């Protein structure tokens, strides 16, 4: 049998991305560096975030409003730079990405453009256990339009006894209900189970019936490979504070497929920041939309939030998105070895992995049958930061940019001591 501790150490030693860990501030409690597994909730702070923010503040003091156009890094250039830094990560054309607002706000704005109920086609297909904010968004939005949410929101759920929605069940639901569906809104990665949805096949099926298909990528962006343009996704929204490490409440992102950019008749809530760059400051009465995703912007964005995102994306770009994904695959293989070994000793079946083995990114969700909350608390006391989701789930998401193989190894050792004390 291989010695896991030295195997983990060896993997860490040979890891070409290991050096990026020091680019992040790792939380320290009582002198102990924490094993932080919550990149899916709030990514850690890049060390250079402070410097990037400081640069914005200096430009503000040095140039006042002219800082939008002048200085070492004019704020408008930053605006153009961020989408290009996200192009690989999302598989989008630069013109298909805009950086604005926050996730739930952006979902409402996308509903304005993409939820177009007509005749019998008025329903929205979503999942029963969607993230609460997405549910509140859908309910309040359709109510605002005068619909009864229970009549227009169609929720699909996993088969009983299961936690994951089968791809075929989603495709079947689209087939069955296509005559009444206007739109589909699903996550790219499910927040509770970590399951990846097959965005390509779902979109293709939706488009067979002329149904608009959008995705919430909160748990997908910066986590799994995406090809939003090629998959022909209509729209997608994400927040930038989870896997993207942009900082709490930082500015979000939106993908709008280029096929919608040059249409006159799309509905949209508009503001001056969506007006063409070169005529914006003429302050004319007529709105002239940018011919790209930026047309959906409304308000002056905060360059401070741009800076936070820039700080983190520059690390992604430096490390290389493909290298990050390669390490994630290796980490996952190692992670499942640890799980299998743990399970081989878990005779009473105290833990159950609810994440589908071959359809996930960084996150693994562990269902704990006994004493779950207590175990989670004890993990925390021992320096393992994971999260707890009612009723019985511990989620952990080791990320390639700052986690180590040995942290995963130690996590399962610690879990073993808590669950099967010898
Ligand atoms: C994190 C998350 C949100 C949070 O939305 P904000 O508007 O950024 O607060 C919404 N939906 C999903 C699926 C999430 O994972």
């Amino acid at each position: 049998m291989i010695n896991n501790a030295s195997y983990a150490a060896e993997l860490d030693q040979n890891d070409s991305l290991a050096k990026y860990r020091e680019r992040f501030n790792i939380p320290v409690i009582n002198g102990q560096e924490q094993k932080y597994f919550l990149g899916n909730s709030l990514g850690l702070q890049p060390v250079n975030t402070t410097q990037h923010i400081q640069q914005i503040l200096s430009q503000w003091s040095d140039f006042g409003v002219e800082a939008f156009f002048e200085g070492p890094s004019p704020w408008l250039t930053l605006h153009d730079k961020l989408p290009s830094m996200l192009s690989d990560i999302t598989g989008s054309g630069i013109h298909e990405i805009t950086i604005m607002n926050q996730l739930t706000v952006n979902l409402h704005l996308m509903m304005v453009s993409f939820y177009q109920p007509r005749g019998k086609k008025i329903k929205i297909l979503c999942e029963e256990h969607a993230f609460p904010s997405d549910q509140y968004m859908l309910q309040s939005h359709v109510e605002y339009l005068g619909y009864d949410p229970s009549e227009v929101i169609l929720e699909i759920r996993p088969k009983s006894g299961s936690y994951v929605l089968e791809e075929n069940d989603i495709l079947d639901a689209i087939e069955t209900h296509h005559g009444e569906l206007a739109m589909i809104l699903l996550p790219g990665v499910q927040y509770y189970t970590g399951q990846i949805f097959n965005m390509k096949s779902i979109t293709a099926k939706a488009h067979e019936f002329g149904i608009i298909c959008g995705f919430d990528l909160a748990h997908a962006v910066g986590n799994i490979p995406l090809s939003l343009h090629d998959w022909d996704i209509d729209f997608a929204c994400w927040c930038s504070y989870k896997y993207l490490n942009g900082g709490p409440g930082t500015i979000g992102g939106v993908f709008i497929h280029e096929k919608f950019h040059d249409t006159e008749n799309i509905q949209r809530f508009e503001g001056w920041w969506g007006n063409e760059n070169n005529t914006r400051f003429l302050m004319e009465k007529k709105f002239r939309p940018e011919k790209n995703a930026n047309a959906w912007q409304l308000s002056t964005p905060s360059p401070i939030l741009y800076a936070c995102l820039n700080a983190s994306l520059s690390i992604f770009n430096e490390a290389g998105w493909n290298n990050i994904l390669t390490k994630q695959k290796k980490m996952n293989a190692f992670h499942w070895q640890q799980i299998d070994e743990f399970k081989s000793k878990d005779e009473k079946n105290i833990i159950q992995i609810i994440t589908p083995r071959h359809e996930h990114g960084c996150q693994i969700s562990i269902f704990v049958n006994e004493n779950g909350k207590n175990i989670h608390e004890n993990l925390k006391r021992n320096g393992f930061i994971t999260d707890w989701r009612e009723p019985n789930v511990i989620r952990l998401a080791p990320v390639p940019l700052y986690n180590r193989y040995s942290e995963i190894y130690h996590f399962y050792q610690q879990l073993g001591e808590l669950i099967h004390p010898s």
Side-chain angles (χ1 to χ4, degrees), residues 37-329:
F37 291 122
L38 285 187
N40 58 339
S41 178
L42 181 67
L44 289 182
Q45 183 188 122
V47 173
N48 66 354
T49 299
T50 313
Q51 187 199 332
H52 279 256
I53 292 176
Q54 189 53 53
Q55 163 98 57
I56 302 292
L57 295 178
S58 303
Q59 281 193 213
W60 179 23
S61 28
D62 293 347
F63 300 95
V65 72
E66 294 299 324
F68 275 101
F69 315 99
E70 286 183 34
S73 166
W75 296 339
L76 283 182
T77 5
L78 204 46
H79 170 272
D80 294 336
K81 184 179 164 197
L82 292 172
S84 69
M85 296 171 97
L86 277 162
S87 173
D88 276 358
I89 297 175
T90 58
S92 317
I94 294 169
H95 60 301
E96 292 175 307
I97 302 177
T98 192
I99 305 298
M100 62 178 192
N101 315 316
Q102 283 141 319
L103 174 53
T104 310
V105 175
N106 286 333
L107 284 170
H108 274 293
L109 294 174
M110 290 305 106
M111 288 283 286
V112 170
S113 295
F114 293 104
Y115 176 52
Q116 298 294 334
R118 280 200 187 86
K120 277 193 178 160
K121 287 170 86 77
I122 58 172
K123 294 195 180 175
I124 301 169
L125 185 77
C126 64
E127 44 151 9
E128 185 182 42
H129 295 295
F131 192 92
S133 200
D134 299 43
Q135 299 186 35
Y136 308 152
M137 182 285 295
L138 281 176
Q139 286 163 11
S140 62
H141 200 104
V142 302
E143 266 174 4
Y144 165 76
L145 293 174
Y147 292 108
D148 174 353
S150 67
E151 278 171 22
V152 296
I153 299 176
L154 190 66
E155 295 178 342
I156 40 177
R157 65 177 70 92
K159 289 199 180 73
S160 83
S162 171
Y163 288 89
V164 300
L165 267 169
E166 300 290 334
E167 182 177 337
N168 277 333
D169 290 347
I170 301 174
L171 301 181
D172 287 349
I174 301 173
E175 291 259 0
T176 310
H177 299 282
H178 71 86
E180 40 187 17
L181 286 176
M183 199 186 105
I184 295 170
L185 180 66
L186 287 171
V189 171
Q190 219 281 346
Y191 82 98
Y192 193 79
T193 63
Q195 179 195 7
I196 298 178
F197 285 71
N198 189 333
M199 291 172 255
K200 184 181 177 186
S201 76
I202 294 168
T203 304
K205 178 61 74 184
H207 287 177
E208 268 178 43
F209 303 109
I211 303 163
I212 286 279
C213 198
F215 288 91
D216 182 326
L217 301 181
H219 282 261
V221 73
N223 178 23
I224 61 165
L226 296 167
S227 299
L228 302 181
H229 177 88
D230 288 346
W231 295 340
D232 206 23
I233 307 289
D234 294 308
F235 73 90
C237 302
W238 58 88
C239 49
S240 311
Y241 50 82
K242 293 175 179 167
Y243 292 100
L244 289 185
N245 314 318
T250 198
I251 196 159
V254 174
F255 165 89
I256 297 159
H257 198 282
E258 67 180 9
K259 64 193 170 191
F260 301 107
H261 292 182
D262 206 5
T263 58
E264 288 281 301
N265 49 9
I266 196 150
Q267 284 195 26
R268 180 168 56 210
F269 281 174
E270 292 172 341
W272 76 317
W273 218 259
N275 195 87
E276 293 170 345
N277 250 337
N278 52 355
T279 56
R280 178 177 308 133
F281 301 107
L282 299 179
M283 311 304 226
E284 292 176 336
K285 202 156 183 69
K286 181 171 164 44
F287 179 74
R288 298 172 200 273
E290 286 271 21
K291 297 282 189 284
N292 54 43
N294 289 332
W296 275 261
Q297 297 178 107
L298 289 94
S299 291
T300 315
S302 163
I304 296 174
L305 299 183
Y306 277 177
C308 291
L309 192 50
N310 189 22
S312 168
L313 291 180
S314 60
I315 304 177
F316 274 87
N317 284 205
E318 201 184 315
W321 181 228
N322 280 329
N323 299 332
I324 294 171
L325 290 172
T326 303
K327 177 171 172 187
Q328 186 201 60
K329 267 199 197 137

